[in-house]
Amino acid sequence: MKSLPILAPVVACLLIVLTYLLVQGAAPDAARHERTLDALRTVILYNAALQRDVLRARTGLLRDYDPLVRSVGRLDEATGSLSIARDVAGGEAQADIDQRVTGVTAAVREEEALVEAFKSDNALLQNSLNYFNYMSSRLATEGGGLRAVEIGVLTTAMSRFIGDPQPEAAKAVAAALDRLERPSVDTSSASDIGSLVSHARLIVARLPAVDDLVARLQAAPTSERARALQDVYLQAHGRVSARASLFQALLYAAALILVGYVAYLLARLRRNAQILRERLEFERLIASISSQFINLPRDRIRTEISEGLARLVAQAGLDGAQIVVSRAGDTGPSSGYVYRRPGIDMPARSANDTIELASRWTLTDHERQGCISVPRVGELPEGPEKARLEADRLRSWLCIPLWHTGERLGFLALDAVTHERHWADDDIALLRTAAEIFANAIARERSEREREALQARLNQSQRLEAIGTLAGGIAHEFNNILGAILGYGEMALAVLLKDSRARRYVQQIMKAGGRAQDVTEQILAFGRRSERQHHALRVEPVVAEAVDLLRASSPATLSVRTHLSADDAAMMGDPTELQQVVMNLGTNAAQAMNNRGVLRIDLDTTAPVEARMLSHGNLPPGRYIRLAVRDGGSGMDQATLERIFEPFFTTKPAGQGTGLGLSTAHGIVAAHGGAVDVESKVGEGTTFEIYFPQIERAPQDAQKDEATDVLIQYGNGETILVVDDDRPLMQLAEEMLAALGYEPVGFDRTPAALSAFRTDPERFDLVLTDEVMPEMTGIELSGHLHRIRPDLPVVLMTGYGRPLRSRQLTAAGISEVIKKPLLSAAVAQCLARHLH
């Protein structure tokens, strides 16, 4: 009990001391401490980012100044947060901290002013640099002589000044500008040269100022002051913590942990800076690869893709890469690009293997951002995917699809053989950007190649159309000549004795005229000007008959083998023209084999579900009858293959071919709405495949031959008005009509004929008029006659063979159209139909 009075004061003193020590040893607010450190780190980090972005902007790598604005804004926020560091310690230490906080804030404000000045000056400088580069390049290219030399000297001096903006370099630029400003004889580029000189002087004036701003920004004391403030702050905090460490050992341990954490942050900052530098280099590489394809000629796209693939592999630290290309609907093998780092030994993987592996990938756990990412092949579950990758000796694999306008063109596969590679999300995003660049280049190369092919086909079509128009005009004139030859020859035969020598001579003339008429018909068919009467017909009997004719005209050394399996397949067409196609193709094939060997002719049906691009046209989806003619002849090279359907083009010696056989066949196929596909290899032979649109089954009577023998009916003195601007042909028609028992009245001018008809309309029983005449066409003349006398029969003669509109013929009162050259039997039958 005696000790109680003593113990009580001791305890009270101890409590007072402990309380005092606890109060003095109380640790600062940890949250406040962390916020202070975060604010300091933010100042340091964003000051470094600001200096980096300033350098990027100075070199032209920064597209805009948004990063600078963001960095300045974060610096403002961070310096505002530093106010919480003012109540950490007392006395001189706190005053020192307050002073350093003010110093950091002032440094940040100074940097903001420098950034604002830099943005305006650098924008003006970059604009002048771009204009100077553009205008100097253009003037040096377009100009010549001394002016081009002076521009070259100026460009060299400017490059040296930009690289090292020293006074000597500035003087060299100024001297070059003075020489360039001297008057010149060439006044056309004076304005451009003046602009060039103005921008060059602006560069000389602003570049040192901008570099000075960059240097001042790089030398700004913000980071040093922030670090010094951090050191002073940590020292004050350490002293407070040291007092508390006597009673709070854990507080000391926490301080050690804090120091270790700071060290970790510094190490992480260095690591992040290294990653940032690597990513920046990667972004530059991708930008460089993208810029390579701007305005690049098509023939260099494939080379640049291969080079870009090699650079991508080197930058990413991989062992190989592969681009495989395949479009939906293609029937041929896939194509692509492959690069392997030198010294890497791995099996060759085909494009089809890569496409099959990527398309059938089933391990969804390894799919990221639409890509297949396999950082460790050995950890894959057992299956075909793992077996395929291990067979290729891969340790890591990344496969990125190549998309273009919603279409998957193929894949970009990246291989790691010597080491494992883990791809972060940012890495995959950059690699996907590279894949998009390659996909756009591949799609551009493909579209330009298709455009060139289509343009070549369009040019060929226009050339054939022009030649066809010319051929039709020639055929018309030739028909008029043949009309006189055959007409007078026919009348000569009528008056000559049967066994006379003169009759035999005239018969030979008529035979030669008939052959000439066949050539004319071929020319008209090629020019698409001959009138075609298409009707439903079964193809197989027509082709079989043509094959029989071909066999009959072929020597014994040529074997014609057929496989006709079209059954009842029908088409709209002309049987004579279809047989002409078979005969022309068969004759051409036989000549290619020198009439020796086996000629195959096949007929079947096909129904493609997708459009096909043929060698000479496009084949839309649908049902078709396919005629194939194959020979084992000498074949054709690509240059010959492109010209085979040109009229009068032939590879045969002079006198052995007209060059109209294939062109005529092509014209007939086109008129029937068909398409042609030709495959040929030199030394292996040629295959012609003709596609005709198939229709429903033809009526049974569509194949009947409607030709019947008709006896010539003579006239009873009816008066026939004959109009033809070719006077010899008009006279020939008069003599022919007189021989047939009619009374002809001929005119070689339409106004005279119309005047005679108006004088006495009832005098004439029928009008026979030519179609093409200079003063008035036959249809126009018929219209005038029809209005005067609607019941008058009018027969129109034409040598062009082009189809005429039935509505136009009916409106002009034309009863029938007959072809030139005129023969007595045809004229007699026509007149009999309308008069008797």
Side-chain angles (χ1 to χ4, degrees):
M1 294 296 295
K2 291 182 180 179
S3 61
L4 193 58
I6 300 174
L7 182 61
V10 171
V11 171
C13 291
L14 180 60
L15 290 175
I16 293 173
V17 171
L18 290 177
T19 302
Y20 173 78
L21 293 176
L22 288 174
V23 171
Q24 294 297 322
D29 187 355
R32 190 173 183 178
H33 174 65
E34 289 295 332
R35 288 198 300 272
T36 301
L37 290 180
D38 287 341
L40 289 171
R41 287 194 296 270
T42 300
V43 170
I44 296 171
L45 286 174
Y46 276 92
N47 184 68
L50 178 63
Q51 293 176 345
R52 179 203 63 200
D53 292 335
V54 165
L55 290 176
R56 291 176 63 194
R58 170 61 184 85
T59 56
L61 298 177
L62 201 63
R63 297 177 58 185
D64 52 43
Y65 295 125
D66 291 343
L68 298 178
V69 175
R70 286 196 296 269
S71 297
V72 170
R74 293 303 300 270
L75 285 174
D76 282 339
E77 294 178 6
T79 52
S81 301
L82 289 178
S83 60
I84 62 176
R86 297 179 181 271
D87 299 325
V88 175
E92 296 180 358
Q94 186 60 50
D96 188 20
I97 291 175
D98 293 343
Q99 182 180 359
R100 293 182 183 277
V101 168
T102 303
V104 172
T105 304
V108 170
R109 296 291 181 269
E110 182 180 356
E111 276 191 316
E112 290 179 2
L114 291 175
V115 168
E116 290 299 324
F118 170 78
K119 287 194 298 182
S120 59
D121 289 356
N122 188 63
L124 185 60
L125 175 63
Q126 293 297 328
N127 180 61
S128 295
L129 284 172
N130 292 334
Y131 183 86
F132 178 82
N133 292 333
Y134 162 73
M135 187 55 66
S136 62
S137 175
R138 185 168 74 84
L139 290 175
T141 302
E142 297 177 354
L146 182 59
R147 185 65 68 183
V149 173
E150 292 176 350
I151 292 175
V153 172
L154 172 60
T155 303
T156 302
M158 182 61 74
S159 298
R160 293 176 180 172
F161 176 75
I162 293 173
D164 186 13
Q166 296 298 326
E168 293 78 8
K171 291 179 180 179
V173 173
L177 290 174
D178 292 339
R179 287 192 300 271
L180 191 62
E181 281 185 317
R182 287 183 300 192
S184 173
V185 177
D186 183 10
T187 60
S188 59
S189 59
S191 175
D192 293 337
I193 290 175
S195 299
L196 178 67
V197 171
S198 298
H199 282 273
R201 294 193 185 279
L202 182 61
I203 293 171
V204 173
R206 299 310 306 167
L207 180 59
V210 172
D211 285 349
D212 179 66
L213 289 174
V214 172
R216 292 171 63 186
L217 282 169
Q218 297 299 317
T222 303
S223 297
E224 289 76 7
R225 291 181 182 179
R227 290 189 179 93
L229 173 60
Q230 186 179 27
D231 293 340
V232 172
Y233 171 79
L234 290 176
Q235 290 175 4
H237 184 270
R239 287 192 295 270
V240 174
S241 299
R243 287 199 306 267
S245 63
L246 296 175
F247 303 96
Q248 297 181 358
L250 294 178
L251 183 62
Y252 176 71
L256 294 178
I257 294 174
L258 180 62
V259 172
Y261 180 65
V262 172
Y264 165 75
L265 286 180
L266 293 175
R268 186 172 181 179
L269 179 62
R270 294 191 182 94
R271 175 58 183 166
N272 289 341
Q274 178 65 25
I275 294 175
L276 184 61
R277 285 192 295 268
E278 294 176 356
R279 187 156 298 156
L280 181 61
E281 290 296 328
F282 207 172
E283 291 176 354
R284 289 175 178 172
L285 171 65
I286 292 176
S288 175
I289 294 175
S290 177
S291 63
Q292 289 178 355
F293 296 103
I294 298 176
N295 297 327
L296 189 68
R298 185 184 68 81
D299 56 353
R300 290 184 53 197
I301 290 179
R302 296 186 64 86
T303 301
E304 293 298 332
I305 290 177
S306 300
E307 293 180 358
L309 197 63
R311 295 172 61 189
L312 184 67
V313 169
Q315 180 67 35
L318 300 172
D319 300 313
Q322 181 184 29
I323 293 178
V324 293
V325 182
S326 177
R327 176 180 290 176
D330 286 351
T331 58
S334 301
S335 61
Y337 309 80
V338 179
Y339 174 76
R340 295 287 181 262
R341 191 162 54 85
I344 298 300
D345 182 20
M346 59 182 297
R349 184 171 68 246
S350 68
N352 288 333
D353 291 341
T354 302
I355 290 179
E356 182 179 4
L357 176 62
S359 301
R360 299 183 180 181
W361 188 268
T362 59
L363 305 178
T364 57
D365 295 341
H366 292 80
E367 295 182 4
R368 295 167 56 193
Q369 300 184 28
C371 307
I372 301 174
S373 176
V374 185
R376 295 181 178 87
V377 174
E379 296 181 358
L380 289 175
E382 297 297 329
E385 294 88 352
K386 182 178 181 181
R388 177 71 261 181
L389 295 178
E390 288 182 341
D392 293 335
R393 304 175 189 172
L394 298 181
R395 300 183 63 181
S396 299
W397 190 60
L398 179 65
C399 186
I400 305 173
L402 302 177
W403 293 98
H404 180 73
T405 62
E407 177 187 9
R408 192 181 69 189
L409 302 181
F411 297 93
L412 167 62
L414 303 174
D415 306 332
V417 179
T418 58
H419 61 281
E420 292 181 347
R421 174 66 187 270
H422 175 77
W423 290 278
D425 290 339
D426 292 341
D427 297 332
I428 294 178
L430 288 175
L431 291 170
R432 287 182 60 191
T433 302
E436 291 177 2
I437 294 172
F438 289 133
N440 292 334
I442 292 170
R444 175 190 162 198
E445 191 270 341
R446 176 180 291 174
S447 62
E448 289 187 3
R449 186 174 65 250
E450 292 176 354
R451 180 184 60 80
E452 290 175 0
L454 291 175
Q455 184 64 41
R457 291 184 181 179
L458 176 61
N459 294 339
Q460 175 74 357
S461 176
Q462 291 174 343
R463 190 161 53 249
L464 290 177
E465 182 179 358
I467 296 176
T469 303
L470 176 63
I474 295 174
H476 168 67
E477 298 300 328
F478 195 53
N479 255 337
N480 290 338
I481 300 173
L482 283 179
I485 295 174
L486 295 177
Y488 284 111
E490 187 181 40
M491 289 190 295
L493 288 176
V495 298
L496 291 174
L497 297 177
K498 280 189 176 182
D499 297 329
S500 65
R501 180 179 300 177
R503 184 180 180 85
R504 290 197 302 272
Y505 293 161
V506 175
Q507 286 176 339
Q508 292 300 321
I509 293 175
M510 293 292 292
K511 187 179 297 183
R515 288 196 297 269
Q517 187 176 7
D518 293 338
V519 173
T520 304
E521 289 297 328
Q522 290 186 18
I523 294 176
L524 287 173
F526 164 75
R528 299 181 180 177
R529 306 182 68 130
S530 62
E531 184 177 357
R532 297 178 175 91
Q533 298 295 331
H534 291 178
H535 57 81
L537 58 90
R538 289 180 56 232
V539 178
E540 188 167 317
V542 178
V543 174
E545 182 178 350
V547 171
D548 291 340
L549 294 174
L550 185 62
R551 283 198 179 103
S553 60
S554 301
T557 56
L558 180 68
S559 174
V560 181
R561 298 180 184 177
T562 61
H563 180 70
L564 308 182
S565 58
D567 298 329
D568 293 334
M571 59 175 281
M572 291 297 295
D574 184 288
T576 302
E577 291 183 336
L578 179 57
Q579 288 182 346
Q580 186 176 3
V581 171
V582 177
M583 292 295 294
N584 288 5
L585 294 178
T587 302
N588 183 77
Q591 293 173 350
M593 297 189 295
N594 294 324
N595 289 320
R596 293 181 178 274
V598 177
L599 170 61
R600 292 196 58 85
I601 299 178
D602 299 332
L603 184 70
D604 59 7
T605 58
T606 181
V609 296
E610 294 183 356
R612 288 183 54 193
M613 182 174 291
L614 308 181
S615 65
H616 292 78
N618 295 323
L619 188 69
R623 299 167 57 213
Y624 295 92
I625 300 172
R626 177 170 54 191
L627 171 67
V629 179
R630 300 179 174 88
D631 67 71
S634 57
M636 295 177 285
D637 56 19
Q638 186 62 31
T640 304
L641 191 62
E642 292 176 355
R643 299 188 59 192
I644 55 175
F645 294 123
E646 292 184 10
F648 309 112
F649 173 76
T650 178
T651 58
K652 302 180 182 67
Q656 296 187 18
T658 63
L660 289 174
L662 292 180
S663 61
T664 300
H666 183 270
I668 293 174
V669 172
H672 283 75
V676 182
D677 191 25
V678 186
E679 294 183 2
S680 183
K681 291 184 179 180
V682 177
E684 297 184 12
T686 304
T687 299
F688 284 82
E689 288 189 349
I690 312 298
Y691 294 86
F692 292 108
Q694 183 179 353
I695 63 172
E696 297 299 329
R697 182 173 177 178
Q700 293 297 323
D701 58 350
Q703 306 297 320
K704 293 182 180 180
D705 187 1
E706 298 179 358
T708 57
D709 293 333
V710 179
L711 296 177
I712 296 179
Q713 298 185 22
Y714 292 89
N716 297 316
E718 292 90 343
T719 302
I720 308 298
L721 177 61
V722 181
V723 186
D724 196 324
D725 62 315
D726 193 325
R727 189 172 186 81
L729 291 182
M730 183 269 293
Q731 294 173 348
L732 171 62
E734 285 184 320
E735 295 188 20
M736 186 181 296
L737 292 173
L740 292 173
Y742 297 97
E743 181 182 348
V745 179
F747 293 92
D748 59 0
R749 293 182 65 250
T750 50
L754 182 59
S755 176
F757 185 83
R758 284 174 174 167
T759 302
D760 188 3
E762 300 298 330
R763 174 187 176 188
F764 303 101
D765 299 296
L766 185 142
V767 177
L768 184 64
T769 177
D770 190 19
E771 176 193 2
V772 179
M773 293 180 289
E775 297 175 302
M776 185 185 302
T777 66
I779 295 178
E780 293 173 345
L781 175 63
S782 300
H784 289 294
L785 301 179
H786 183 66
R787 285 191 290 272
I788 297 173
R789 185 179 164 188
D791 62 334
L792 177 70
V794 179
V795 176
L796 185 68
M797 301 180 293
T798 176
Y800 274 99
R802 62 168 175 258
L804 300 173
R805 298 179 181 177
S806 58
R807 182 181 302 175
Q808 186 180 17
L809 298 177
T810 303
I814 296 175
S815 304
E816 187 174 345
V817 179
I818 61 175
K819 293 182 180 180
K820 289 183 176 182
L822 300 179
L823 296 179
S824 298
V827 173
Q829 293 175 17
C830 176
L831 298 182
R833 282 194 295 270
H834 299 287
L835 292 176
H836 298 161

